[in-house]
Structures are given as structure tokens and as C-alpha cells.
Amino acid sequence: MPRQLKVYRTPIGFHDAYVAAPSQKAALAAWGSAKDLFARGAAELVTDPALTAAPLATPGVVVKLSRGTAAEQIAALPPSRPKARAAEPVDEAKQAPARRAPAPAPPPMPKPSRQGLEEAEHALVEAEARHRRADRALAAEEAALAKRRKEQDRAAAAERAALEEARDGERRSYDKAMAAWRG
């Protein structure tokens, strides 16, 4: 169900601007105002049926209505001020407000330094090189250990074979001696 439209009004020069909108925020948007005219008392809700007819016929569109005839508006102007006397010389130094020199523009920001970035990149490159050297050293140690393991396994196998052969020879001698002793 669409929201009920309300009619809002704000003065604009010699006219009143009316708009039919669902909320004050929508009315401010229709008027193009970034400031809250309602909080300042410069805008209001309108309930008079004679004034709400035209805006309700075209919701969201600003309708401008004159606040009176041209004669009424001229009559509402404040009385004109008397003109300044031309006979008196005007001291411009006293009349002109003191002009201040424009504030100097802030100095441009210096270009950011790359030193920290370059140091971090250099540290990363050095660390990667150090890690590669350590990996190569470990790989060399692993290869040397594998070679030593192979040599030790070969030596252990040869020694075991020789000892088993000696044991088997001794077993045969022992078995022969036992057979001769028993028999």
C-alpha cells in the first residue's frame, strides 16, 4: 500500500513552493535542499484544501504560487533608505574594511619515500637466497649421509657374511667333533 501523501510548503523569493510527498525528507529532496528546512522553521505542513489541491494533482512536482500581487509585494518592501550625501568627502581608508592577505597555500605534500619499501624488498630477496643456500647445504648433507649409510650397509653386510661363514665352518667342525666323540 503506498504511503499517504502530505503537502509541504517553503517560501522561495516572492513565491511559496508546494510539494506533495510521503515524508519531509522526500519534500526536501524535491526542493533540492540539503538543509533541514523543517528544523529551521522555513518549511511546514499544509492542511488547507484550497492550497493542497494543485500539489496533490502532481505528486513529487514542485508547484510555485505567488504570495500576492505585484502591488502587495512592493508594499511589503521596507522603506528605501536616504541616499548618502555627496558633499562630504569620504575617507576610503576609514570606509574600506581592512583586507587581509590571502592565506598562503599549504605547501605541497612531499613525495612519499620508497626507502622502506626498497629495504623490505631487499630483505625478502636476501632471505630467499639464504633459504636456498640452507636447502642446498641440507641436500648435500643428506646426500653425504645417504652415501655413508650405503657404505655402512655394504660393510655390515660383508662383515655379517664373513662372520656367518666362519660360524658355519665352526658349526661343521663342532658337529664333526661331536659325531666322533659319540661314536
Side-chain angles (χ1 to χ4, degrees):
M1 179 174 176
R3 293 178 63 184
Q4 181 179 358
L5 294 175
K6 298 176 183 175
V7 177
Y8 300 97
R9 168 178 58 195
T10 189
I12 298 179
F14 293 114
H15 297 85
D16 283 335
Y18 293 86
V19 67
S23 66
Q24 291 179 353
K25 184 176 179 180
L28 291 171
W31 290 324
S33 176
K35 298 178 182 175
D36 188 358
L37 300 176
F38 294 97
R40 296 175 172 208
E44 62 185 351
L45 177 67
V46 178
T47 57
D48 184 4
L51 297 175
T52 60
L56 285 173
T58 56
V61 177
V62 177
V63 177
K64 292 182 182 177
L65 298 176
S66 178
R67 269 192 258 136
T69 64
E72 291 172 338
Q73 291 175 2
I74 291 173
L77 290 174
S80 61
R81 291 186 279 162
K83 294 185 180 182
R85 291 184 247 161
E88 291 182 27
V90 177
D91 185 7
E92 290 184 21
K94 291 180 183 177
Q95 293 289 337
R99 291 190 181 196
R100 288 191 280 161
M109 290 183 58
K111 183 178 179 182
S113 172
R114 284 189 52 90
Q115 182 178 357
L117 174 61
E118 289 173 356
E119 289 173 359
E121 288 175 344
H122 181 69
L124 177 63
V125 168
E126 284 183 352
E128 288 174 345
R130 191 174 60 249
H131 295 159
R132 281 193 299 274
R133 286 192 301 270
D135 285 345
R136 283 195 299 268
L138 286 174
E141 286 181 34
E142 288 173 346
L145 284 173
K147 183 178 178 183
R148 280 182 52 200
R149 165 77 71 191
K150 224 182 234 185
E151 289 172 358
Q152 178 165 337
D153 287 349
R154 226 180 291 130
E159 183 179 9
R160 183 179 178 103
L163 290 173
E164 285 177 350
E165 191 175 321
R167 181 196 64 195
D168 291 345
E170 287 297 319
R171 187 178 301 272
R172 283 189 298 273
S173 295
Y174 174 74
D175 287 343
K176 231 188 233 183
M178 281 299 283
W181 179 72
R182 286 186 194 147

